[in-house]
Amino acid sequence: MGGVTDSGLASLPASDRPDIAARLRDALLAASFTADGLLDLLGAPAYAALARSETVPALRATRGDTPLETLVRLFLLQQPVPHARVAAVLPVEEALEAGWLTRVGADEVAASVDVRPYGGPDGEDWFIVSDLGCAVGGAGGIGQRDEGVVLGVGGASTTLAGITVRTPVASALDLGTGSGIQALHATRHATRVTATDLNPRALHITALTLALSGAPAADLREGSLFEPVRDDESFDLIVSNPPFVISPGARLTYRDGGMGGDDLCRSLVQQAGERLNEGGFAQFLANWQHVAGEDWQDRLRSWVPRGCDAWIVQREVQDVTQYAELWLRDAGDHRGDPAEYQARYDAWLDEFEARKVKAVGFGWITLRRTGSAEPVVTVEEWPHPVEQPLGATIRAHFERLDYLRRNDDAALLDSHFKLAAEVVQEQVGLPGAEDPEHVVLRQHRGMRRATKVDTVGAGFAGVCDGTLSAGRILDAIAQLMDEDPVVLRDRTPAQIRLLVEQGFLEPAH
């Protein structure tokens, strides 16, 4: 094992030897080869540099011969290490036999895959396996390698893991599993985990990631997206960080969807509805086109399948030149022949021009299967900082939709509310002015929203502690402001609904 295949990719370790993976895991943990252990050894600057695929600081920090330094140089920095040093830390002969290591020269060994510590949400010590040099996508010009490479953990995969709703479920489906990070997270709260990928190498690596992390095995199926899923199967949770890049062609399997424009993301979202159990969630990262003469929000609303609530958040927008340059650099094309780079750049712009695409959006799409006859679809732009993980925030959003659907305005006025935790009130105006120009409510958790409210809204939110009903609070405000209480009761529920929907107010059950 550990040689080179006809495709140019190194052979992978055996995935049917969980006994060796378990012994390897024990040895890694004994040497403190963990996320915390790395930070302690390398220090914050060198640790952060690794995330940028810069290895020099880590090489300088691992010039000793401790077990942890040996493992860092072997698995993270992909340096050959003397056989005797490795044998003092790992079951080296078993690792060689199973293909985790390969012999180099007369007395050295090298890793056949990248093994990177990854801290689970509850402090679990996990390990993400990926192809050599592919732990962090893009920084090393991955596209210059074979198209079948399997990347490790990047910003997109950790974003998806952070926004995923983590309630206990019977079944979860990870579409386009890659190195297996989403499947690994799902094993914590799903009884049965299914993972698909068009690349058989990715399924092999996912099996290694799960075994080395001490997680239960998943049902691994080869095929594109939903193709390996049987017609009679449905799930409580579906997640996907798909190959969403909108490109001319499908040169790179790990990122290019192979369909025209944003059709892959659209079809993925549209097909998810019929695969969800009642109350189930489907969550995706996606790119979408901003087409001349078309409202991008309407475009995305048209993707939402019938019978599903949806919350779609656009996090970033790039014009077509920025977008093309980003992914040309991701592939390392900018370091190659200038004429070839220019030709590929032209091809991207030709594709966008033909489709009348002016920009490309990136963001999150969450569907929730609902029995309601009137699903709610929210599409918004929110480029501001948020607090990850957001899974609980996203679940609460859909719970609030259910609450608002069940309660008409009269019921709302009879209800009791309380101000959500970490919400503060800011008064904005000129210094010395008697009254503020406007009042802002600001969240310091979750989405970290801010919203302007009028005097009534500010006064209402300020006294919501669950004691009085909304109607009684409005009556008191009307008396203080010398307003007609009937008129105030009539015009305020819309504002209350917005504050509840956005999470500033919570029903006081």
Side-chain angles (χ1 to χ4, degrees):
M1 301 287 290
V4 176
T5 66
D6 291 340
S7 69
L9 289 171
S11 299
L12 292 171
S15 60
D16 59 351
R17 294 297 305 271
D19 56 328
I20 294 180
R23 283 195 283 277
L24 189 57
R25 171 178 171 80
D26 290 342
L28 297 178
L29 294 177
S32 296
F33 187 66
T34 63
D36 290 341
L38 288 184
L39 184 58
D40 289 342
L41 171 68
L42 301 177
Y47 189 74
L50 268 183
R52 303 190 298 271
S53 287
E54 296 290 349
T55 59
V56 172
L59 285 168
R60 293 174 59 86
T62 56
R63 289 177 288 193
D65 59 0
T66 66
L68 181 54
E69 288 170 296
T70 297
L71 294 176
V72 171
R73 293 183 74 86
L74 184 67
F75 285 119
L76 265 65
L77 304 177
Q78 280 97 55
Q79 299 293 308
V81 179
H83 184 286
R85 280 185 60 185
V86 179
V89 185
L90 300 177
V92 67
E93 295 305 322
E94 291 179 313
L96 284 165
E97 175 193 351
W100 290 93
L101 303 177
T102 186
R103 297 185 187 277
V104 179
D107 62 350
E108 290 185 318
V109 297
S112 62
V113 288
D114 185 292
V115 175
R116 194 150 300 229
Y118 177 81
D122 291 325
E124 300 94 342
D125 288 315
W126 288 339
F127 299 96
I128 306 298
V129 180
S130 63
D131 275 314
L132 295 174
C134 299
V136 180
I142 300 301
Q144 296 300 324
R145 303 171 184 268
D146 188 282
E147 67 167 17
V149 296
V150 178
L151 305 189
V153 176
S157 51
T158 55
T159 294
L160 179 59
I163 68 172
T164 300
V165 175
R166 298 293 177 194
T167 51
V169 294
S171 57
L173 173 63
D174 176 15
L175 295 171
T177 187
S179 61
I181 178 176
Q182 310 305 332
L184 179 58
H185 275 277
T187 61
R188 294 179 58 251
H189 61 101
T191 304
R192 175 173 56 89
V193 177
T194 302
T196 72
D197 205 290
L198 182 64
N199 182 3
R201 188 176 184 86
L203 298 176
H204 193 128
I205 283 182
T206 292
L208 298 174
T209 290
L210 296 176
L212 197 60
S213 298
D219 179 4
L220 304 177
R221 305 182 192 177
E222 183 179 345
S224 177
L225 304 176
F226 285 108
E227 286 179 3
V229 179
R230 298 190 306 271
D231 291 341
D232 62 345
E233 285 185 292
S234 58
F235 301 87
D236 302 309
L237 174 67
I238 299 172
V239 294
S240 183
N241 176 20
F244 54 66
V245 176
I246 300 170
S247 60
R251 182 162 62 108
L252 303 175
T253 305
Y254 70 86
R255 70 169 203 193
D256 300 329
M259 297 186 187
D262 52 17
D263 283 353
L264 182 136
C265 291
R266 176 186 55 77
S267 62
L268 179 63
V269 173
Q270 290 179 336
Q271 293 174 33
E274 62 188 19
R275 299 294 187 179
L276 278 178
N277 293 326
E278 192 68 26
F281 286 91
Q283 298 186 265
F284 315 103
L285 301 185
N287 275 176
W288 44 79
Q289 298 172 149
H290 285 229
V291 180
E294 180 180 299
D295 186 294
W296 68 270
Q297 293 182 323
D298 289 342
R299 181 183 188 85
L300 289 173
R301 287 189 185 96
S302 74
W303 291 9
V304 178
R306 294 182 62 183
C308 288
D309 290 329
W311 186 16
I312 302 174
V313 181
Q314 180 166 272
R315 296 288 291 156
E316 184 180 359
V317 182
Q318 292 183 313
D319 67 49
V320 292
T321 59
Q322 292 174 312
Y323 189 80
E325 290 162 13
L326 168 68
W327 294 110
L328 287 167
R329 284 179 168 79
D330 169 83
D333 292 328
H334 61 301
R335 293 196 293 268
D337 176 47
E340 186 175 349
Y341 173 81
Q342 182 175 342
R344 284 183 169 157
Y345 200 152
D346 267 332
W348 283 72
L349 296 185
D350 286 344
E351 177 80 4
F352 286 133
E353 185 176 338
R355 294 180 176 275
K356 300 182 180 179
V357 176
K358 302 301 182 184
V360 177
F362 167 81
W364 321 323
I365 298 176
T366 299
L367 308 177
R368 198 264 312 254
R369 189 79 186 176
T370 176
S372 172
E374 298 181 359
V376 177
V377 176
T378 303
V379 184
E380 63 176 320
E381 186 164 17
W382 190 254
H384 311 294
V386 298
E387 181 190 47
Q388 285 275 34
L390 275 170
T393 298
I394 290 174
R395 184 182 71 248
H397 168 85
F398 288 93
E399 290 172 349
R400 292 193 298 270
L401 290 186
D402 286 340
Y403 173 83
L404 292 172
R405 233 180 335 230
R406 290 193 306 266
N407 291 271
D408 60 16
D409 286 356
L412 213 61
L413 292 174
D414 285 338
S415 299
H416 296 237
F417 298 95
K418 60 181 179 180
L419 196 63
E422 306 290 337
V423 173
V424 298
Q425 177 179 300
E426 301 173 358
Q427 295 186 345
V428 180
L430 294 173
E434 183 175 348
D435 296 312
E437 293 179 15
H438 57 264
V439 177
V440 174
L441 298 180
R442 188 179 301 278
Q443 300 169 350
H444 285 276
R445 303 294 301 273
M447 292 292 287
R448 293 177 172 166
R449 294 186 185 277
T451 187
K452 292 181 182 179
V453 291
D454 59 18
T455 304
V456 172
F460 182 86
V463 298
C464 277
D465 60 3
T467 304
L468 299 175
S469 70
R472 291 190 62 185
I473 293 174
L474 290 178
D475 290 343
I477 292 175
Q479 186 174 2
L480 286 172
M481 297 179 63
D482 196 25
E483 286 203 27
D484 185 338
V486 175
V487 173
L488 200 59
R489 277 175 171 256
D490 186 57
R491 68 178 173 87
T492 307
Q495 189 172 12
I496 296 175
R497 284 186 178 278
L498 183 62
L499 292 176
V500 171
E501 181 182 343
Q502 294 189 342
F504 290 95
L505 294 178
E506 298 174 347
H509 297 299

